[in-house]
Amino acid sequence: MGWRQWGVLAGATVLVACAGGSDEQVVVRVNQTRVTVAEFRRRLDLERERVPVHLHAMMESADVQKRYAQDLVRREILLQEAARRKIDGRPAVTDRVQQVKEQMILQTLIREEISEKVQVPAAEVQAYYDGHPEEFSRDRLRAGHILVQTEGEAQQVLERLKGKEGFEALARRLSLDKVSGAKGGDLGTVERGSMVAEFEKAAYALKVGEVSVPVKTRFGYHIIRVTGREQRPAAPFAEVREGLTQRLVGERQQAAFEAFVAGLKQQATVEVREELLPVPAPGSPSALPGPSPTPPAPGEAK
């Protein structure tokens, strides 16, 4: 309705508000609907929650509140017309209203049970930083890898390396990563945060010249070799404090959330009939009435 555009709420048509009057005095009337001083203030305060703090003072001005009153008139006129057309009873509307209601209820529950209760004190953030220097190291590695599909293949690569076959030659011949494989497995400089977590953790645990055991990632199994390391100062605490705090809070709140749900689940009677899934979409062949098609027996033509 324009109410969100605070910067243009000037020069509005005058509608006298009952400032300083009784809570029962009516500020806005549309047919049989009345908005009293108390209700007007309540609605205005709800709007305050949706706008930046620096605009709160503007909302107390007569011009802005007159404009808001006009917005309430337009809103109520439209709502009454929608009610006349019985739009509020349509399934598409009631279903969406229920979804929004449920979402607000859940957000309130999680805020009260998790967000407001589970935090990480500053001393614990500092302690984590001090106890995990490797996470904040800015060291850089030069590494290579041989990527294969299965753990068995990775073990075979290790055996061949132990048999003195060259890492570069095996990478060119066997690695599924053809880009690095063409360079003898060389990945160049590996900085923290640039590789998948499992690969990075394994690589940074190696000394120069060492070769890893098979490391599983979503790409397959890697045999990693570190060929160089550049020592660099760690990121200072002041630089990482905010991000680290957010991460630790997020991890702790996620754990608290999972425990909260698990506890509620133990107290509930739950049944999930997976044999009924997936539920077909309306209009799909499996959703049409009639007998379900019989799958062919083994050996029959499909």
Side-chain angles (χ1 to χ4, degrees), residues 2-15 17 40-41 44 47-48 51 55-72 74:
W3 176 244
R4 289 192 296 270
Q5 303 301 322
W6 287 92
V8 296
L9 298 186
T13 302
V14 173
L15 177 63
F40 187 89
R41 184 70 244 183
L44 194 66
E47 290 293 340
R48 284 169 61 94
V51 302
L55 295 177
H56 286 185
M58 181 189 299
M59 294 177 66
E60 302 306 315
S61 72
D63 282 344
V64 168
Q65 292 194 15
K66 291 171 187 176
R67 177 61 178 272
Y68 184 46
Q70 292 297 327
D71 282 344
L72 288 181
R74 288 194 294 271

Side-chain angles (χ1 to χ4, degrees), residues 165-219:
E165 290 192 57
F167 188 96
E168 292 83 356
L170 288 175
R172 291 189 181 95
R173 189 178 310 125
L174 303 176
S175 183
L176 298 177
D177 180 356
K178 299 305 180 184
V179 175
S180 68
K183 297 181 287 186
D186 184 39
L187 292 167
T189 299
V190 178
E191 297 193 17
R192 290 190 184 275
S194 64
M195 308 294 288
V196 293
E198 303 91 339
F199 186 101
E200 183 176 294
K201 181 178 179 181
Y204 274 86
L206 298 173
K207 297 178 181 178
V208 175
E210 286 185 335
V211 174
S212 73
V213 297
V215 177
K216 183 181 180 181
T217 73
R218 65 179 183 271
F219 302 106

Side-chain angles (χ1 to χ4, degrees), residues 120-275:
V120 178
E124 292 188 24
V125 179
Q126 178 72 62
Y128 185 93
Y129 173 84
D130 294 338
H132 299 79
E134 71 284 353
E135 290 190 25
F136 309 100
S137 166
R138 288 175 169 170
D139 289 359
R140 293 191 295 194
L141 301 179
R142 188 173 186 90
H145 78 145
I146 300 171
L147 175 64
V148 293
Q149 189 67 46
T150 68
E151 185 176 10
E153 291 173 322
Q155 291 291 355
Q156 292 176 10
V157 171
L158 279 179
E159 292 300 319
R160 293 176 69 169
L161 289 172
K162 292 176 182 178
K164 305 305 180 182
E165 290 192 57
F167 188 96
E168 292 83 356
L170 288 175
R172 291 189 181 95
R173 189 178 310 125
L174 303 176
S175 183
L176 298 177
D177 180 356
K178 299 305 180 184
V179 175
S180 68
K183 297 181 287 186
D186 184 39
L187 292 167
T189 299
V190 178
E191 297 193 17
R192 290 190 184 275
S194 64
M195 308 294 288
V196 293
E198 303 91 339
F199 186 101
E200 183 176 294
K201 181 178 179 181
Y204 274 86
L206 298 173
K207 297 178 181 178
V208 175
E210 286 185 335
V211 174
S212 73
V213 297
V215 177
K216 183 181 180 181
T217 73
R218 65 179 183 271
F219 302 106
Y221 287 83
H222 309 255
I223 302 299
I224 306 169
R225 183 181 66 168
V226 172
T227 57
R229 189 176 195 120
E230 179 186 351
Q231 300 285 343
R232 304 169 71 198
F237 179 66
E239 184 177 309
V240 301
R241 176 174 51 207
E242 182 176 354
L244 177 60
T245 300
Q246 292 177 355
R247 192 189 98 197
L248 295 179
V249 168
E251 291 174 354
R252 188 167 296 185
Q253 289 184 348
Q254 182 64 34
F257 172 77
E258 298 295 343
F260 179 57
V261 172
L264 295 175
K265 195 173 182 180
Q266 286 182 343
Q267 301 172 36
T269 300
V270 178
E271 179 184 14
V272 178
R273 296 185 61 188
E274 294 185 351
E275 71 274 12

